[in-house]
């Protein structure tokens, strides 16, 4: 595609498609990981639109399903975000009836649990994520994928 070079040497698509940084990260592993994560999250967000979810909301829904009666603070820790942001995600999931709020009395923390509608949504979303992952990784050698997944896990543990 047509591209415009930025001052930093990045190529940005100018052909009307979604702008895409074509930068290479020869000496910048962190930048490459961030870019790959962003591109994959964007791809998942597009694929999950049919369920009315984003990839981040799906992560929250999966955790709430696996951990009933989760608080905003616990959800924030798992999502690596603030309590306010986690609360916003949980509120969105509540608004579309994928989770229920519990314990709203004085002195009790608000907790969340997944609904039956949320469980059905999780099943459909899981298939969407699997299809998206297969499409994205189809061009990669299968032997490399297992090593890559292991290295990513180690990187996540190291930076937490």
């Amino acid at each position: 595609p047509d591209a415009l070079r930025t001052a930093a040497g990045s190529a940005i698509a100018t052909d009307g498609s979604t702008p895409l940084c074509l930068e290479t990260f020869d000496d910048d592993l962190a930048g490459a990981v961030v870019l790959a994560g962003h591109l994959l999250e964007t791809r998942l967000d597009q694929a999950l639109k049919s369920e009315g979810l984003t990839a981040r909301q799906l992560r929250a829904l999966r955790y709430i399903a696996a951990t009933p009666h989760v608080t905003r603070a616990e959800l924030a820790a798992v999502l690596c975000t603030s309590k306010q942001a986690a609360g916003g995600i949980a509120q969105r999931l509540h608004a579309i009836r994928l989770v229920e709020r519990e314990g709203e009395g004085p002195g009790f923390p608000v907790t969340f649990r997944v609904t039956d509608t949320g469980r059905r949504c999780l099943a459909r979303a899981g298939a969407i994520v699997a299809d998206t992952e297969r499409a994205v990784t189809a061009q990669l050698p299968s032997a490399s994928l297992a090593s890559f997944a292991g290295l990513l896990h180690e990187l996540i543990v190291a930076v937490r």
Side-chain angles (χ1 to χ4, degrees):
D2 295 333
L4 172 68
R5 290 265 170 210
T6 67
S10 300
I12 306 295
T14 59
D15 62 356
S17 65
T18 303
L20 173 63
C21 177
L22 304 174
E23 178 86 22
T24 59
F25 293 96
D26 297 338
D27 297 324
D28 188 357
L29 176 63
V33 171
V34 168
L35 178 59
H38 173 72
L39 293 172
L40 183 56
E41 183 173 19
T42 300
R43 176 86 55 102
L44 287 170
D45 286 349
Q46 287 295 318
L48 289 166
K49 272 187 177 181
S50 63
E51 293 300 321
L53 290 175
T54 65
R56 191 168 300 237
Q57 291 166 344
L58 177 59
R59 280 189 63 217
L61 185 60
R62 283 177 168 169
Y63 186 74
I64 293 167
T67 314
H69 316 293
V70 66
T71 65
R72 277 186 328 158
E74 293 165 333
L75 189 58
V78 168
L79 297 177
C80 302
T81 193
S82 69
K83 286 188 253 183
Q84 292 81 8
I89 291 169
Q91 275 302 111
R92 169 72 180 135
L93 296 174
H94 179 258
I96 58 176
R97 299 183 179 179
L98 301 181
V99 301
E100 291 179 340
R101 293 169 52 108
E102 300 176 314
E104 297 191 46
F108 294 100
V110 174
T111 62
F112 300 91
R113 70 172 192 83
V114 73
T115 63
D116 290 339
T117 301
R119 290 191 194 289
R120 288 190 296 273
C121 179
L122 275 172
R124 292 187 305 269
I128 291 168
V129 170
D131 289 346
T132 303
E133 187 176 302
R134 274 192 295 277
V136 168
T137 60
Q139 300 171 34
L140 304 175
S142 59
S144 298
L145 283 177
S147 296
F148 182 63
L151 289 171
L152 276 177
H153 178 73
E154 289 179 28
L155 179 61
I156 290 166
V157 169
V159 297
R160 278 198 169 195

